[in-house]
């Protein structure tokens, strides 16, 4: 009878408080909106990237004002460890190495990504990219190995390949970041050299990586299927290579195709930066790949009409940034007769490298001097240069720049050239960094276009000058891509051809991410390029979607794909020779995880990546609170013991037991 | 179980059972034997079964000491050197910690 109203009262209370939920956590912590961490990658010998502790690293926030101010973090600051907040101008090798060397006082680093690119150039990649996986080894050519003759990426500070044992995150420069700077100014800033008083603004970063040491260790730990829940700690990097033929070949028969002569026109599909999943790669990747797509489209009708006896294979290799994953896999498959053609079928290789042009830079055709010592190869290569183009040849004893063609040369000497926009060192100042974006290439629409109009923008004055081996075409085309906009304007000057490339990806105004990622899923550019290539080299077929996906081939040489460019445009079925093959390093096929011949890059797994900012009290206050609590506990225990032992005296005094008479 | 209520023969029988079963790689039984029967064997006034009980308790204590040193040594070595042993260390481990060597 007492119970009923009480329960109703309790329910009402719970309902009211449950609905208007006031979480204590929300009042203390402010979480980061987007998390852009640096993650751990492993190869046969090393681990690179960043690691945090399992329960996050906490540090007092410190906004670094200059490199001299580092002294506060490294030695004189009274409240280590510090969480260092860097503006992008201070994100240099010297600052990071100093922070790395005293990592007991550094809890983590946060880099504020600017809205404009730094003018001095920045490249966290190596100065000699893919040094040990190209063709220039000590045996092949000691004078050209290890970039002895030409350092390709002189701005490279190798930061991407260093190992840090604290987390490093990147923040966009927006209101939240400004709030963090304000938090530092209000609480943490030392005034006149005096010690800042508690409570201080602190930050906690979680990016604990599961894999450790090297690829062999983490693959072994993946496969130890013991204990209650087997854990995967890392995954090999991989994706797919995309290729299309100008003339259909039988795909089910693998290995050597007698009588076929194939020219491989190659470009790369991937890029990277210091941070995870950020790889705009505009000049290093997108320029070459879009050029090759344009070539494929432009040559579609021409090759069918001309009835050539050489086939052109437009190939897009993925994973070239990480020791040539895609091209090494394709060469490996060709050597094992697992690919559609054989290395004997390959007539030559033409690769489109970084071709983004700034102002009036020229195009250069690079070739390999060592293989050209053989006169037959030299003859083939010279054919390229006889074509009446305004491109130049750099010094004849210069090595090939880092390119997929090097992996073909590793297998056997094949004639080939690589088209680049630099004569010796890269002109790209932001090679494989987060600043290699469309701003750098000066992509721009004509002013005053709405996003829809921009998407439908077509250049009129597009004159395509195409370089293909042994063929010379001079064609005018206009391009209209539904999801990829290629805007080309050609200005033919006296002896120069300049390409102005504008590359736009996806109308949502987000930057494309060219990072290869792990094997489980295809990256967004891969899907995009695959459908684009199918659309550009194939022909439309009039069937329904189900028929399109299920069609059994009469000829095993073409594949139908249902191309669905964007949600609001019509979908249609395309029949083309475009196909994909797996691009996972042969080291993982052969299970040679310490291989020095193939790429062994893997990416670690992680549980959670987040960051948050809050006010933290001094250590003394925490200890005092704990001490007081323990004291209260002990006092109450003593008191209870004392009272219970003297209970009869305390509670029976002055009370006569009444004799109840019933 | 209250040993007070048992007759002496049964106490001896219990002590013997614990002593013998401890040989099956069960040092914890020996620990129980020592702790439980210590007062019975050494502090109570003498009775006939007590001499036999004393030998059992002493031998249990010896066996316990032996196991303790062996296990402590092995655990110290393993925890210290597991990271350096590479593959062998991983195959010996039941749970491998994430993110640390």
């Amino acid at each position: 009878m007492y119970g009923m109203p009480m329960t109703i009262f309790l329910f009402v209370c719970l309902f009211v408080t449950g609905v208007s939920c006031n979480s204590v956590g929300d009042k203390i912590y402010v979480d980061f909106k987007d998390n852009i961490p640096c993650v751990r990658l492993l190869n046969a010998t090393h681990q690179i990237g960043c690691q945090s502790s399992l329960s996050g690293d906490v540090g007092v926030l410190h906004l670094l004002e200059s490199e001299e101010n580092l002294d506060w973090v490294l030695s004189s600051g009274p409240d280590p460890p510090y969480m260092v907040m860097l503006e992008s101008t201070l994100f240099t090798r010297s600052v990071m190495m100093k922070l790395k060397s005293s990592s007991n006082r550094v809890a983590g680093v946060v880099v504020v990504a600017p809205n404009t690119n730094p003018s001095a150039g920045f490249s966290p990649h190596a100065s000699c990219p893919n040094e040990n996986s190209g063709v220039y080894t000590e045996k092949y050519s000691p004078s050209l190995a290890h970039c002895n003759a030409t350092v390709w990426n002189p701005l490279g500070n190798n930061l991407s390949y260093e190992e840090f044992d604290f987390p490093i995150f990147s923040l966009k420069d927006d209101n939240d970041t400004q709030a963090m700077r304000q938090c530092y100014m209000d609480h943490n800033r030392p005034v006149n050299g005096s010690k800042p008083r508690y409570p201080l603004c602190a930050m906690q970063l979680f990016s604990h990586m599961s894999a450790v040491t090297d690829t062999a260790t983490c693959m072994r730990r993946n496969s130890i299927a013991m204990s209650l829940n087997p854990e995967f700690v890392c995954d090999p990097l991989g994706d797919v290579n995309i290729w299309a033929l100008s003339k259909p070949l039988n795909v089910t028969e693998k290995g050597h195709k007698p009588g076929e002569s194939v020219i491989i026109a190659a470009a790369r599909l991937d890029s990277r930066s210091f941070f995870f999943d950020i790889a705009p790669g505009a000049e290093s990747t997108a320029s070459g790949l879009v050029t090759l797509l344009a070539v494929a489209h432009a040559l579609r009708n021409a090759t069918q009409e001309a009835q050539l006896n050489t086939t052109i294979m437009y190939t897009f290799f993925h994973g070239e940034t990480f020791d040539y994953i895609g091209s090494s896999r394709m060469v490996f498959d060709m050597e094992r007769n697992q690919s559609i053609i054989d290395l004997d079928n390959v007539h030559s290789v033409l690769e489109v490298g970084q071709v983004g042009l700034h102002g009036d830079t020229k195009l250069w055709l690079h070739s390999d001097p060592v293989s050209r010592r053989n006169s037959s190869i030299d003859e083939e290569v010279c054919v390229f240069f006889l074509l009446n183009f305004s491109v130049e040849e750099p010094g004849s004893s210069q090595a090939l720049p880092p390119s997929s063609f090097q992996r073909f040369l590793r297998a056997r000497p094949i004639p080939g050239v690589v088209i680049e926009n630099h004569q010796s060192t890269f002109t790209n100042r932001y090679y494989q960094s987060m600043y290699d974006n469309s701003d750098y290439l000066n992509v721009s629409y004509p002013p005053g276009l709405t996003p829809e109009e921009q998407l439908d923008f077509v250049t009129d004055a597009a004159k395509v000058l195409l370089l293909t081996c042994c063929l010379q075409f001079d064609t005018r085309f206009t391009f209209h891509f539904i999801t990829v906009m290629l805007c080309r304007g050609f200005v033919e000057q006296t002896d120069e051809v300049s390409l102005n490339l504008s590359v736009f990806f996806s109308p949502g105004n987000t930057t494309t991410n060219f990072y290869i990622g792990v094997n489980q899923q295809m990256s967004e550019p891969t899907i995009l390029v695959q459908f684009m290539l199918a659309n550009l080299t194939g022909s439309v077929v009039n069937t329904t979607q189900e028929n399109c996906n299920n069609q059994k081939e009469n000829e095993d040489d073409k594949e139908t794909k249902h191309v669905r460019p964007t949600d609001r445009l019509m979908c249609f079925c395309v029949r083309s020779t475009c196909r994909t093959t797996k691009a996972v390093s042969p080291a993982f096929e052969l299970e040679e995880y310490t291989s020095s011949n193939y790429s062994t890059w893997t990416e670690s797994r992680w549980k959670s990546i987040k960051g948050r900012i809050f006010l933290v009290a001094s250590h003394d206050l925490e200890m005092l609170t704990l001490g007081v609590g323990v004291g209260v506990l002990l006092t109450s225990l003593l008191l209870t013991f004392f009272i219970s032992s003297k209970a009869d005296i305390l509670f029976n005094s002055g009370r006569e037991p009444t004799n109840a008479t019933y | 179980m209250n040993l007070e209520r048992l007759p002496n023969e049964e106490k001896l029988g219990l002590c013997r059972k614990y002593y013998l079963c401890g040989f099956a790689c069960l040092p914890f039984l020996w620990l129980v034997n020592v702790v439980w029967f210590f007062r019975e064997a050494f502090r109570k006034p003498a009775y006939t079964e007590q001499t036999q009980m004393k030998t059992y308790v002493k031998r249990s204590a010896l066996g316990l000491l032996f196991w303790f040193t062996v296990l402590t040594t092995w655990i110290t070595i393993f925890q210290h050197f597991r990271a350096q042993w590479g593959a062998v260390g991983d195959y010996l481990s039941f749970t491998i910690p994430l993110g640390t060597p």
Side-chain angles (χ1 to χ4, degrees), chain A residues 435-483:
Chain A
Y435 306 118
D436 191 6
N437 48 23
S438 51
D439 291 340
Y440 179 52
L441 279 185
N442 279 333
V443 298
S444 56
Y445 297 95
L449 292 184
T450 65
E452 277 72 27
E453 284 171 336
Q454 287 175 353
L455 213 50
D456 295 336
F457 181 60
V458 176
T459 57
D460 288 324
K463 188 173 181 181
V464 177
L465 202 61
L466 301 172
L467 308 170
T468 55
C469 29
C470 313
L471 304 166
Q472 186 168 354
F473 284 83
D474 186 6
T475 340
R476 283 167 220 267
F477 278 89
T478 56
F479 301 106
H480 181 197
F481 293 87
I482 296 161
T483 48

Side-chain angles (χ1 to χ4, degrees), chain B:
Chain B
M1 196 173 189
N2 198 349
L3 281 182
E4 310 284 333
R5 304 223 192 104
L6 287 178
N8 287 344
E9 298 83 28
E10 284 193 31
K11 282 188 216 168
L12 183 62
L14 211 57
C15 193
R16 184 190 291 125
K17 272 196 208 122
Y18 271 84
Y19 169 67
L20 290 175
C21 290
F23 278 106
C25 293
L26 297 169
F28 210 70
L29 287 181
W30 283 340
L31 175 67
V32 170
N33 210 10
V34 167
V35 167
W36 203 15
F37 284 99
F38 186 75
R39 189 181 284 169
E40 283 295 320
F42 295 102
R43 292 280 178 266
K44 286 266 169 71
Y47 50 89
T48 42
E49 291 85 356
Q50 202 188 39
T51 46
Q52 186 70 338
M53 215 185 273
K54 272 191 193 165
T55 51
Y56 287 149
V57 172
K58 278 185 205 157
R59 286 187 194 168
S60 298
L62 270 175
L64 184 66
L65 191 66
F66 168 75
W67 268 101
F68 183 75
T69 46
V70 165
L71 280 178
T72 312
T73 319
W74 166 246
I75 289 171
T76 318
I77 292 175
F78 183 73
Q79 292 293 343
H80 200 248
F81 291 111
R82 180 191 59 84
Q84 294 158 28
W85 284 344
V88 176
D90 282 349
Y91 288 126
L92 281 176
S93 304
F94 184 73
T95 311
I96 303 173
L98 297 174
T100 51

Side-chain angles (χ1 to χ4, degrees), chain A residues 51 209-210 220-221 226-227, chain B residues 87 90 93-94 96 98-99 101:
Chain A
Q51 167 75 305
M209 301 287 135
S210 303
R220 180 181 68 230
R221 290 186 183 182
M226 251 225 283
S227 89
Chain B
D90 282 349
S93 304
F94 184 73
I96 303 173
L98 297 174

Side-chain angles (χ1 to χ4, degrees), chain A residues 211-481:
Chain A
V212 74
T213 321
D214 57 24
T215 295
T217 308
C218 88
M219 295 305 284
R220 180 181 68 230
R221 290 186 183 182
N222 277 353
S223 60
I224 290 182
M226 251 225 283
S227 89
L228 309 162
N229 48 342
E231 290 258 10
F232 276 81
V233 292
C234 71
D235 300 292
L237 291 181
D239 204 300
V240 289
N241 291 331
I242 305 171
W243 50 267
L245 296 161
S246 63
K247 178 182 85 183
L249 289 179
N250 198 338
V251 166
T252 47
E253 284 176 20
K254 310 250 187 231
H256 185 75
K257 296 255 181 339
E260 288 291 340
S261 175
V262 177
I263 297 167
I264 296 183
R268 68 160 62 175
L269 252 183
D270 77 317
S271 176
R272 71 166 301 192
S273 76
F274 183 78
F275 297 102
F276 173 69
D277 243 11
I278 302 280
E283 185 174 343
S284 47
T285 308
S287 58
L289 104 86
V290 169
T291 309
L292 194 60
L293 282 174
V295 168
H297 181 66
L299 285 183
R300 172 171 66 180
N301 297 330
T303 45
Q304 276 164 9
E305 287 165 13
Q307 303 258 326
L308 305 162
N309 50 7
T310 53
T311 317
I312 307 178
M313 183 171 171
Y314 305 101
T315 322
F316 296 86
F317 292 112
H318 221 317
E320 300 299 279
T321 317
F322 291 102
D323 290 336
Y324 306 121
I325 296 177
S327 49
S328 65
R329 181 55 188 260
M330 178 163 273
V331 172
F332 178 72
D333 284 342
M334 284 181 179
E335 285 171 339
R336 288 187 314 171
N337 293 332
Q338 289 292 318
S339 178
I340 184 179
I341 52 173
D342 197 3
L343 280 171
D344 295 322
N345 291 120
V346 176
H347 172 268
S348 52
V349 176
L350 173 80
E351 180 163 348
V352 187
Q354 304 179 70
V355 290
L357 296 188
H358 316 270
D360 55 352
T361 50
K362 302 184 223 185
L363 287 180
W364 303 83
L365 294 185
H366 294 257
S367 56
D368 171 46
V370 177
S371 63
R372 280 178 72 180
R373 290 186 203 139
N374 182 343
S375 55
S376 60
I377 308 246
D378 197 33
E379 272 170 32
E380 297 283 356
V381 177
C382 283
V383 172
F384 288 97
F385 300 118
L386 291 176
L387 305 171
N388 192 13
F389 300 130
S390 309
V391 292
E392 313 221 356
E393 186 191 348
S396 58
S397 62
Q398 187 175 262
L400 271 180
S403 51
S404 317
F405 177 39
Q406 287 198 21
R407 289 304 298 204
F408 285 87
L409 280 179
R410 250 171 104 118
R412 67 179 67 181
I414 299 176
V417 290
V418 179
I419 308 169
E420 301 271 2
N421 62 358
H422 53 88
Q423 181 183 6
S424 56
T425 59
F426 290 163
T427 53
N428 187 354
R429 298 203 315 271
Y430 307 109
Y431 184 65
Q432 311 288 18
S433 81
M434 58 187 178
Y435 306 118
D436 191 6
N437 48 23
S438 51
D439 291 340
Y440 179 52
L441 279 185
N442 279 333
V443 298
S444 56
Y445 297 95
L449 292 184
T450 65
E452 277 72 27
E453 284 171 336
Q454 287 175 353
L455 213 50
D456 295 336
F457 181 60
V458 176
T459 57
D460 288 324
K463 188 173 181 181
V464 177
L465 202 61
L466 301 172
L467 308 170
T468 55
C469 29
C470 313
L471 304 166
Q472 186 168 354
F473 284 83
D474 186 6
T475 340
R476 283 167 220 267
F477 278 89
T478 56
F479 301 106
H480 181 197
F481 293 87

Side-chain angles (χ1 to χ4, degrees), chain A residues 12 103 134 168 195 215 278 328 332 351 601 603 632:
Chain A
V12 171
S103 57
I168 303 179
K195 180 179 141 121
T215 295
I278 302 280
S328 65
F332 178 72
E351 180 163 348
W601 285 105
E603 184 189 275
V632 167

Side-chain angles (χ1 to χ4, degrees), chain A residues 474-540:
Chain A
D474 186 6
T475 340
R476 283 167 220 267
F477 278 89
T478 56
F479 301 106
H480 181 197
F481 293 87
I482 296 161
T483 48
V484 173
M485 280 295 296
L486 177 68
C487 171
R488 285 174 155 234
F490 277 84
V491 176
E492 207 177 49
Q493 287 155 19
T494 48
D495 274 336
E496 275 182 318
V497 171
S498 61
L499 296 166
N500 289 328
L501 293 174
S502 304
V503 177
F504 314 111
F505 286 91
S506 84
N509 215 14
T510 54
T511 318
T512 318
N513 172 25
F514 282 110
Y515 177 62
I516 180 171
V518 296
N519 204 11
Q520 264 82 31
Q521 59 212 19
M522 289 205 272
S523 56
E524 175 201 338
T526 313
I527 301 174
L528 211 56
V529 170
Q530 190 182 347
F531 286 149
M532 296 254 15
L533 193 60
N535 192 15
L536 296 173
T537 56
S539 47
V540 179

